[in-house]
Amino acid sequence: MHDVLLLRTFVSVNPVIIAAELRGLLEPHQLEGLDVTWVSADQPVGKGDWVAIVPLLSRWVGGTELKQLPNLRIVANCAVGYDNVDVVAAEMRKVIVTNTPDVLTDATADLTWTLILACARRLVEALDLVRRDAWRGWHPELLLGVELRGRTLGLFGAGRIGQAVGRRAVPFGLRIIYAARSPKPDFERDTGAIRVGWSRLVAESDILSLHAPATPETKGIINTDTLSRMKPGAILLNAARGDLIREEALAIALEGGRLGAAGLDVYTEEPTIHPRLRAAPRTVLLPHIGSATHDTRRKMAAIAVANVQAVLAGQPPLTPVYR
Ligand code: NAP
């Protein structure tokens, strides 16, 4: 007993902040050696000597926040996107930034397909008809949707998730085009996908699905101009980041009947949705649940904390991000 107490005195315990919302997803052994302060997303962090922080994507970690945490060594973001972290400010302070790639790819690709099918087959209108007890029987022209076979799926961003969405499109008989900064030869070989420029992607897609991160180059890339260049009746999907779309412009395109449908999982000012978009016709609006499966959320929390443990043990981070 005496020895155990002595040993404990010499084992350093690292003060860390972890988003309180992750508590139920973590096992005690994953937190060994960490002195955790649980801070929920709506609570400020303030000043302190914490050496690591595991935030959710809703917490902005910028220069001011980092200055308040002079001992910080790692921001282990619990998301693959890291537009909520000022990576340049972190780098200047020699703070490592990590994310949670790969483990959420399948879940997010599956959810994108949920949106594609829901939009193409008018699922929301169909459910509403039944719920309102307004269905008057089988009719040959009731709720006609879009046949996928032979149509063109356009992917903006063909990284982990974009490619996973594209691979799922093959058995549906869709032609695939994509825009990314670099070519993806394996993806092209496996799926027959063709790399095109942004203008061609917008003009040729029957279904345009966004899978690029929110960066200065991609913010607002779907706007009045690009919407006017999309095919009449085209379907737009966004399971990436809300900032990619100018929401009012999208609402207007839906109101005017030019756009076939929009399936969205993410928004500019979450959890607020632009009121005009919320009221627009032919939308499938989800509350940012792209990665929301039991398995994936546990894996995301585990990777975020494993990054903290690695860095505090003097090892390289498992999944670092670079600007
Ligand atoms: P990723 O593997 O890094 O893929 C990002 C893709 O975007 C890459 O193909 C990249 O091109 C492309 N890209 C980046 N900037 C571009 C630009 N300016 N023009 C054209 N293409 C550009 O990321 P991921 O794991 O697939 O995740 C993608 C995004 O999905 C994340 O950033 C996150 O915001 C979002 N996400 C959302 C949810 C959700 O819950 N809805 C869940 C997970 C992820 P290169 O390959 O050529 O570099």
Side-chain angles (χ1 to χ4, degrees):
M1 182 66 178
H2 185 66
D3 286 350
V4 173
L5 278 178
L6 255 183
L7 197 69
R8 277 208 181 132
T9 327
F10 288 108
V11 174
S12 69
V13 173
N14 295 298
V16 305
I17 292 176
I18 302 182
E21 292 79 358
L22 298 175
R23 202 170 192 156
L25 299 172
L26 289 161
E27 303 293 333
H29 71 88
Q30 294 169 313
L31 302 170
E32 258 166 38
L34 305 180
D35 174 13
V36 181
T37 304
W38 300 96
V39 180
S40 62
D42 54 358
Q43 281 181 310
V45 166
K47 260 188 162 161
D49 59 359
W50 293 288
V51 292
I53 180 167
V54 180
L56 302 183
L57 50 79
S58 51
R59 182 178 295 283
W60 171 246
V61 185
T64 311
E65 290 73 15
L66 291 167
K67 217 170 167 180
Q68 305 245 62
L69 304 168
N71 295 341
L72 201 69
R73 292 168 61 190
I74 173 170
V75 179
N77 210 35
C78 192
V80 68
Y82 47 91
D83 46 303
N84 60 307
V85 182
D86 185 339
V87 179
V88 177
E91 197 177 283
M92 278 165 62
R93 303 187 76 87
K94 299 200 172 9
V95 173
I96 291 168
V97 181
T98 61
N99 65 347
T100 62
D102 298 315
V103 291
L104 43 61
T105 298
D106 282 333
T108 310
D110 289 349
L111 189 91
T112 304
W113 267 94
T114 307
L115 286 172
I116 292 173
L117 292 170
C119 285
R121 300 304 297 271
R122 304 175 63 178
L123 200 74
V124 171
E125 289 163 86
L127 289 171
D128 187 53
L129 194 73
V130 173
R131 284 227 178 88
R132 285 188 293 109
D133 200 15
W135 180 37
R136 299 291 167 257
W138 195 89
H139 187 286
E141 290 194 82
L142 177 68
L143 287 170
L144 301 185
V146 175
E147 188 94 22
L148 296 184
R149 189 163 297 278
R151 292 285 194 317
T152 298
L153 170 68
L155 302 167
F156 178 60
R160 291 167 290 243
I161 298 168
Q163 289 190 33
V165 170
R167 288 176 192 279
R168 284 158 173 71
V170 175
F172 283 97
L174 283 154
R175 167 182 174 252
I176 304 163
I177 56 177
Y178 73 97
R181 292 173 301 190
S182 55
K184 315 292 174 199
D186 292 351
F187 178 55
E188 292 181 13
R189 188 198 58 230
D190 295 349
T191 64
I194 298 167
R195 185 169 173 233
V196 297
W198 170 246
S199 296
R200 229 184 114 185
L201 188 83
V202 167
E204 289 186 19
S205 297
D206 295 297
I207 300 164
L208 177 58
S209 196
L210 309 180
H211 299 289
T215 64
E217 295 78 40
T218 63
K219 280 185 184 178
I221 199 155
I222 299 292
N223 51 44
T224 306
D225 173 52
T226 44
L227 286 162
S228 72
R229 289 191 278 123
M230 286 177 72
K231 278 186 175 177
I235 295 171
L236 177 68
L237 292 315
N238 189 9
R241 282 291 181 267
D243 279 345
L244 270 61
I245 295 180
R246 295 269 179 261
E247 290 178 349
E248 186 156 6
L250 173 58
I252 292 168
L254 287 160
E255 287 164 9
R258 185 180 161 75
L259 209 62
L264 310 175
D265 184 43
V266 288
Y267 310 88
T268 313
E269 298 285 344
E270 294 178 10
T272 303
I273 300 179
H274 192 296
R276 206 161 163 181
L277 185 56
R278 199 152 30 83
R282 300 180 313 286
T283 59
V284 182
L285 304 179
L286 302 181
H288 202 150
I289 54 167
S291 62
T293 69
H294 292 288
D295 291 351
T296 291
R297 287 286 163 84
R298 280 187 194 285
K299 287 178 187 167
M300 288 167 68
I303 289 184
V305 172
N307 271 305
V308 170
Q309 296 282 24
V311 168
L312 297 184
Q315 292 157 11
L318 309 174
T319 52
V321 304
Y322 306 99
R323 66 181 157 123

